Each structure stands twice: as structure tokens, then as C-alpha cells.
Amino acid sequence: MANIKSAKKRILVNRTKADRNKAIKSGVKTAIKKVYAAIESSDKEAAAAALKEATVTIDKAATKGIYHKNNAARKVSRLSKAVNKMA
């Protein structure tokens, strides 16, 4: 453990931010799994609804800087492609 006050604060702040980032990333992964689960069950409407939710979740994560914007765009693109391929 650090002895300097500012270093102690950095450790606490970094831990808080890491927990927040982990929670948001976990939410994104869950949203993506819901889309693929709907695709597996061949439910077009559920897949479209899940895609909409996942897109919002991924975009929020990108806005907060947890994912790079290109990474977020790639995730959304792959999900959209998978849902559109269902038809």
C-alpha cells in the first residue's frame, strides 16, 4: 500500500473506475448474448428488439470511453448482420 496521500487516493479511484468499467462491459456482453439467443430461437421480433437494446448499451459504453468507437461500431455491425441474415 502506498504511503503518500495522493497515491492512496489514486488507488481508490482506479479501483472504483475499474469496477464501473467491468459492470458496463458485463452489461454489453449480456446484451450481445440476448441477441444471439433470440437468433438461435428463430424469433425475428425478439432479435430485433434485443438488437435495439444492445445497440443502445454498446453506444453508451463507447460514449463513456469503455470501448473505442470503432470497436463499438464493429460489435453493432456484426449483431445487425446476424439479425438481418435471419430473414
Side-chain angles (χ1 to χ4, degrees), residues 3-60:
N3 291 322
I4 298 167
K5 187 178 181 184
S6 61
K8 288 179 184 176
K9 182 178 178 184
R10 275 286 108 219
I11 290 168
L12 292 174
V13 169
N14 287 339
R15 190 175 298 148
T16 304
K17 286 184 177 183
D19 290 343
R20 175 176 156 270
N21 292 349
K22 196 180 295 180
I24 293 170
K25 278 187 176 184
S26 176
V28 168
K29 288 177 190 173
T30 303
I32 290 171
K33 284 179 190 173
K34 284 181 182 174
V35 174
Y36 284 120
I39 291 170
E40 287 292 315
S41 66
S42 302
D43 190 353
K44 182 86 170 161
E45 286 136 22
L51 173 65
K52 197 174 230 183
E53 276 186 41
T55 303
V56 170
T57 308
I58 292 167
D59 288 343
K60 278 185 184 177

